[in-house]
Amino acid sequence: NAGVMQNPRHLVRRRGQEARLRCSPMKGHSHVYWYRQLPEEGLKFMVYLQKENIIDESGMPKERFSAEFPKEGPSILRIQQVVRGDSAAYFCASSPLGTGAEKLFFGSGTQLSVL
Amino acid sequence: AQSVAQPEDQVNVAEGNPLTVKCTYSVSGNPYLFWYVQYPNRGLQFLLKYITGDNLVKGSYGFEAEFNKSQTSFHLKKPSALVSDSALYFCAVRGYGNKLVFGAGTILRVKS
């Protein structure tokens, strides 16, 4: 049973470009969380999704950021017109239905570098 | 708002000595508390959690944590540290909306 898979591991973008980060949850998991880790800071919650639904996006910046978790395929975190301040490690976590935050499994993260 | 605080940026301990990584919490209601560990270039790994029951919770890799309601603390402990325990440790609390709220993290360095 593969763990939470995130790709790419490293992503380099120039300012103004778009970044797409993918997360495939563990098999059977229907909840996905995205967190951002900035240098010298802890993990900050961004968004919580179920299949085809955004449950909580209170941690998402109002502009340029969006997330989806379609019926088929991975969850996508999309950052449009990236800026240097978007450089961070982005982690995805998944959990089975009914457990939520009590049982999170994390991926290895995507390190986004904006030049 | 639910929150946790990790007062130490870094903890240094000699191999074989006991270690403690501190965490205090602020919640309304009963807390659900967690410890995670992050090794370099890796995601977070679950260590242990407290939901209810015994105040001393045992977890992975020989770690344990003590829930203290009067001091609103949930310190992570291990009787004998290993060099391989060196990593970044996060305390977390379940926040509103069924998500985890993390502390800033504490770097643990174990020297041989």
Side-chain angles (χ1 to χ4, degrees):
Chain A
N1 188 10
V4 178
M5 304 300 293
Q6 288 188 250
N7 68 82
R9 288 297 308 273
H10 301 276
L11 181 61
V12 180
R13 286 289 178 266
R14 297 190 181 278
R15 281 178 297 169
Q17 291 184 321
E18 178 180 285
R20 281 183 178 244
L21 289 64
R22 296 176 198 79
C23 169
S24 296
M26 288 183 69
K27 186 176 181 181
H29 286 194
S30 56
H31 297 215
V32 165
Y33 300 75
W34 285 93
Y35 283 82
R36 177 165 61 175
Q37 185 177 29
L38 293 164
E40 310 301 324
E41 296 187 22
L43 278 79
K44 302 297 184 185
F45 168 79
M46 299 183 75
V47 63
Y48 166 30
L49 311 103
Q50 292 180 3
K51 289 277 188 182
E52 300 184 282
N53 282 310
I54 296 175
I55 305 302
D56 182 347
E57 57 181 350
S58 59
M60 289 278 271
K62 297 295 182 213
E63 298 176 348
R64 301 188 297 108
F65 285 72
S66 62
E68 63 176 7
F69 188 17
K71 186 177 180 180
E72 301 291 338
S75 175
I76 305 289
L77 179 66
R78 182 182 177 207
I79 311 172
Q80 295 177 289
Q81 299 175 330
V82 296
V83 301
R84 289 218 173 105
D86 297 332
S87 295
Y90 291 82
F91 289 96
C92 167
S94 72
S95 67
L97 181 67
T99 61
E102 294 170 32
K103 201 157 191 169
L104 288 188
F105 296 82
F106 280 83
S108 296
T110 293
Q111 181 65 51
L112 173 65
S113 299
V114 180
L115 304 179
Chain B
Q2 320 285 68
S3 66
V4 291
Q6 295 180 244
E8 302 155 317
D9 292 336
Q10 183 168 317
V11 170
N12 298 308
V13 65
E15 188 176 30
N17 283 1
L19 69 87
T20 299
V21 183
K22 295 180 180 177
C23 173
T24 57
Y25 65 88
S26 175
V27 302
S28 55
N30 294 321
Y32 285 25
L33 296 160
F34 305 80
W35 276 101
Y36 281 80
V37 60
Q38 184 182 28
Y39 297 100
N41 301 313
R42 302 289 298 276
L44 275 71
Q45 296 179 33
F46 171 82
L47 279 179
L48 50 81
K49 67 180 177 183
Y50 171 83
I51 295 178
T52 187
D54 290 340
N55 289 341
L56 186 64
V57 180
K58 293 189 182 298
S60 307
Y61 312 121
F63 283 93
E64 58 189 26
E66 186 171 10
F67 173 69
N68 188 316
K69 189 173 183 177
S70 63
Q71 296 184 3
T72 62
S73 67
F74 189 56
H75 300 333
L76 181 70
K77 300 182 179 184
K78 187 173 182 180
S80 178
L82 300 172
V83 172
S84 58
D85 292 330
S86 299
L88 180 59
Y89 289 81
F90 289 101
C91 181
V93 64
R94 192 181 75 170
Y96 299 120
N98 202 25
K99 56 183 180 280
L100 288 187
V101 178
F102 287 89
T106 299
I107 297 171
L108 173 66
R109 295 198 194 280
V110 181
K111 296 184 178 180
S112 57

